[in-house]
Amino acid sequence: MDTLHPHFDDASGSPVPSAASSAAQPRTTADLIALARALLKSGERRILGITGAPGAGKSTVCAAIAGALGDQVAVVGMDGFHLANSELIRLGRRERKGAPDTFDADGYAALLERLWHQTEEVIYAPTFERTIEESIGSALPILASTPLILTEGNYLLLEGGAWSRVKPQLDAVWFLEPPEELRLSRLIARHVAFGKAPDAAKAWVERVDQNNAALINAGRSRADLIIRLVD
């Protein structure tokens, strides 16, 4: 972990050396809420990253923490930096949307840097609307008074290019690792829920999402905590 951005002890919220165990640690949602609450003890702005392969439950965990901590937390998703579908078509990348080069990685890294050093009263972040498969700019106001930023996305631990600028802006990164069968089943179900036929959803997972999962899992050891939710 960057020396300016230490991660924190489970109980006290005090900085500890970064050393993720190679084994996933069993945790409940309540455990994760308690760990996130501990980050508030310093009284300073903290940025916590939540990552994992597609379907790992990143958005669900962020929603649970945000629900528990209320206005003390803001959730900023990496998915807000998806390139527009028209741009993906122009670049010939539409059929593998979700790969690292289908995002504005520079924009995402720049936003995290602004949030870490926030002096403006409000910074606006984009969001991603799954129903239309497009990002919406300046949709999320982040107040300077918000002490904890949760940011979730696939490539928080990816190295190379602008992605290398992401992790140094995070106080800690948690890697979610559910059982593979569960992850795949709910990933397919999510694609179906947003309009794909079951066969097309399964084909997309096999052709696109699993390739991305391999890239994401390659950075697993760089996480501060590897988590298998038990509830």
Side-chain angles (χ1 to χ4, degrees):
M1 181 68 62
D2 185 284
T3 55
L4 295 178
H5 299 71
H7 76 287
F8 295 83
D9 176 79
D10 286 4
S12 69
S14 301
V16 296
S18 176
S21 167
S22 61
Q25 304 298 307
R27 293 287 192 275
T28 66
T29 301
D31 292 334
L32 300 189
I33 292 170
L35 293 178
R37 184 174 282 114
L39 295 181
L40 300 173
K41 292 182 178 180
S42 71
E44 299 176 353
R45 166 66 56 85
R46 300 298 184 197
I47 306 180
L48 170 62
I50 310 290
T51 192
K58 300 181 289 293
S59 297
T60 301
V61 166
C62 285
I65 294 172
L69 300 185
D71 61 7
Q72 296 182 97
V73 62
V75 180
V76 177
M78 188 198 81
D79 280 356
F81 290 88
H82 271 290
L83 297 180
N85 289 331
S86 58
E87 179 64 2
L88 293 176
I89 291 169
R90 185 187 74 82
L91 294 170
R93 303 173 190 174
R94 179 65 181 88
E95 291 308 308
R96 53 187 186 83
K97 184 173 183 175
D101 64 348
T102 66
F103 290 87
D104 175 14
D106 281 294
Y108 179 53
L111 175 64
L112 293 177
E113 289 162 0
R114 286 183 69 197
L115 290 173
W116 179 251
H117 301 288
Q118 183 169 355
T119 56
E120 307 96 322
E121 182 177 349
V122 180
I123 291 175
Y124 288 96
T127 60
F128 184 72
E129 180 53 64
R130 288 193 180 277
T131 58
I132 60 173
E133 283 287 304
E134 292 281 13
S135 300
I136 301 175
S138 302
L140 178 66
I142 311 295
L143 303 180
S145 59
T146 302
L148 179 61
I149 306 299
L150 296 182
T151 187
E152 60 98 353
N154 290 343
Y155 303 120
L156 276 55
L157 298 174
L158 193 66
E159 296 183 292
W163 294 112
S164 297
R165 293 165 51 196
V166 171
K167 187 172 183 288
Q169 304 308 316
L170 308 177
D171 291 285
V173 181
W174 298 349
F175 190 102
L176 303 183
E177 190 173 69
E180 187 70 355
E181 183 176 346
L182 173 62
R183 183 183 71 81
L184 291 175
S185 65
R186 64 191 185 194
L187 182 57
I188 292 170
R190 185 174 76 191
H191 284 307
V192 171
F194 286 98
K196 285 185 170 63
D199 287 347
K202 184 177 180 181
W204 183 276
V205 168
E206 292 173 349
R207 180 174 58 83
V208 179
D209 289 331
Q210 286 299 83
N211 286 336
N212 297 337
L215 286 174
I216 296 160
N217 289 335
R220 177 182 183 275
S221 64
R222 302 181 69 222
D224 298 288
L225 183 63
I226 301 170
I227 297 163
R228 177 161 296 186
L229 278 175
V230 296
D231 58 351

